[in-house]
Amino acid sequence: NKLMIQLWRPIPGYEGHYEAGDLGEIRSVDRQVRYPNGNLQLHRGRVLKQTPATSGYLSVGLNKQGGKTFGVHTLVLLAFRGPCPEGMECCHTDGNRLNNRLTNLRWDTRVNNHKDRKLHGTVKKGESHWNSRLTEDAVREIRARRMNGEVFTKIAQSFGISQTTTIHICQRKIWDHVA
């Protein structure tokens, strides 16, 4: 095993408080804090604990006159590559949301990010999508009922979805992976 030495850079807007490492860690830095009573105290820096968000990305809380939560991937790119260019977003080259090493991250377009997700098989569709209300069996039933002549509005009401969604299911604009 090679010993990996992490390179650290200040996080813009949090200079003197927090740094991002090229191996995907975030740390606070040693600093003097003056309390309202006038006392000065040394706060030792430490590597921050990363918490998985519901999105599957790792996040950390940064505190400087009020706390805020950030995705680790965004902070690493911000510190090493600068602000996100307009029309771009953070992309994980290998498709692994937990791999926040600088070598795995880049600013790129949403279209290219989506192409990556398709390539890696990480696109959530159908029942695995977090916002899905339907099952594959329900989609088959919707299509069967329409083929039997039932109107879109009645089908939509019985499944608690919009008429537009029902039409798109029948036209295979969505749920196209279901036979």
Side-chain angles (χ1 to χ4, degrees):
N1 272 353
K2 283 200 292 188
L3 179 63
M4 300 289 290
I5 297 174
Q6 189 153 210
L7 178 63
W8 295 93
R9 294 256 172 93
I11 297 171
Y14 291 87
E15 295 89 346
H17 293 266
Y18 296 98
E19 296 176 333
D22 65 339
L23 299 180
E25 292 185 308
I26 307 297
R27 72 179 179 186
S28 60
V29 297
D30 290 350
R31 62 187 182 278
Q32 296 279 340
V33 176
R34 184 169 303 280
Y35 287 93
N37 65 6
N39 289 347
L40 198 61
Q41 186 175 356
L42 174 68
H43 277 245
R44 286 261 169 233
R46 64 179 175 81
V47 171
L48 303 184
K49 182 176 188 249
Q50 299 183 15
T51 311
T54 54
S55 61
Y57 295 101
L58 294 171
S59 64
V60 293
L62 303 187
N63 195 347
K64 187 179 116 178
Q65 290 123 13
K68 192 169 177 191
T69 302
F70 295 91
V72 172
H73 55 292
T74 304
L75 294 176
V76 171
L77 271 181
L78 187 61
F80 285 89
R81 300 287 184 252
C84 181
E86 191 172 332
M88 303 281 200
E89 56 188 42
C90 182
C91 300
H92 289 78
T93 302
D94 69 359
N96 179 357
R97 294 178 178 191
L98 304 177
N99 180 358
N100 292 312
R101 291 172 180 254
L102 181 61
T103 55
N104 187 49
L105 302 174
R106 70 185 192 283
W107 296 125
D108 207 338
T109 64
R110 176 159 289 192
V111 169
N112 285 338
N113 199 13
H114 194 70
K115 283 180 187 174
D116 280 354
R117 290 172 46 215
K118 277 188 169 180
L119 182 72
H120 298 118
T122 56
V123 175
K124 301 283 188 211
K125 61 182 180 181
E127 294 176 43
S128 67
H129 190 277
W130 65 272
N131 202 23
S132 174
R133 290 194 197 158
L134 300 172
T135 63
E136 291 186 7
D137 288 339
V139 169
R140 287 186 197 94
E141 186 180 336
I142 288 167
R143 289 181 180 146
R145 285 169 64 174
R146 179 63 188 152
M147 297 243 324
N148 290 330
E150 197 170 333
V151 295
F152 288 118
T153 51
K154 187 175 177 193
I155 298 170
Q157 285 174 345
S158 65
F159 285 91
I161 59 176
S162 72
Q163 183 176 334
T164 303
T165 298
T166 307
I167 292 168
H168 287 169
I169 288 170
C170 293
Q171 293 174 338
R172 296 188 177 277
K173 288 184 179 178
I174 57 175
W175 290 86
D176 58 325
H177 64 284
V178 177

